Amino acid sequence: MARTELTRLTGSPGGPNCDDDDCPNVYLRTRTGTLVIQGDRYEGFDVPVGEALVEIPEHVLKEAVRALGW
């Protein structure tokens, strides 16, 4: 799925932890209502094939919650 098919909820260029539009973000996948998370890979333990763990700053998740009106 292309990034253009997602609704970006967080991460303004020039904001915290954001260089050249490459920063931790939360996206909404509108067709399914799921969230897609962009962050640093977390390698604390192994996950099943096809899954990944990422770390995002707390402020990014709070920004996503505000954007969704939760």
Side-chain angles (χ1 to χ4, degrees), residues 42-47 53:
Y42 178 77
E43 299 189 19
F45 59 91
D46 294 330
V47 296
L53 298 171

Side-chain angles (χ1 to χ4, degrees), residues 8-10 26 28 60-70:
R8 186 176 181 163
L9 299 175
T10 62
V26 177
L28 177 63
V60 173
L61 188 54
K62 286 180 177 179
E63 186 179 346
V65 168
R66 280 192 301 274
L68 290 168
W70 292 350

Side-chain angles (χ1 to χ4, degrees), residues 24-53:
N25 281 300
V26 177
Y27 297 91
L28 177 63
R29 186 174 174 195
T30 53
R31 285 183 292 162
T32 62
T34 60
L35 297 174
V36 177
I37 309 297
Q38 174 186 350
D40 295 326
R41 182 179 300 271
Y42 178 77
E43 299 189 19
F45 59 91
D46 294 330
V47 296
V49 172
E51 295 183 10
L53 298 171

